[in-house]
Amino acid sequence: YVIAQPHTSAIKLSSSNNSSQFVILACDGLWDVLSDQEAVDFVRHHYSTTMEAKQTAARGLLEEAIRRGSSDNITVIVSWL
């Protein structure tokens, strides 16, 4: 079934400290198989070192969701701040 209310969160992003590095926007195909923290840890561990690595972060999350067996559509955007 389709839920009319999306899961959303509102947080204040700050560039004054190093905690706000990127934002992950994704549909439930990703979130069905990765928790919020798992996705953040995955990106930080695999993709935060070089500009080239950062450009492939969304693809990496998509491939990880497929590897974990997601059976839904998967759309991922990683926006670096």
Side-chain angles (χ1 to χ4, degrees), residues 16-56:
S16 63
N17 62 33
N18 204 16
S19 65
S20 301
Q21 299 170 335
F22 55 87
V23 175
I24 302 170
L25 303 171
C27 66
D28 59 340
L30 179 75
W31 304 123
D32 286 347
V33 294
L34 276 93
S35 70
D36 298 353
Q37 191 60 55
E38 286 175 317
V40 168
D41 292 345
F42 185 85
V43 170
R44 282 187 177 150
H45 179 73
H46 294 289
Y47 298 101
S48 63
T49 56
T50 66
M51 183 55 72
E52 184 175 321
K54 289 178 180 182
Q55 291 173 343
T56 62

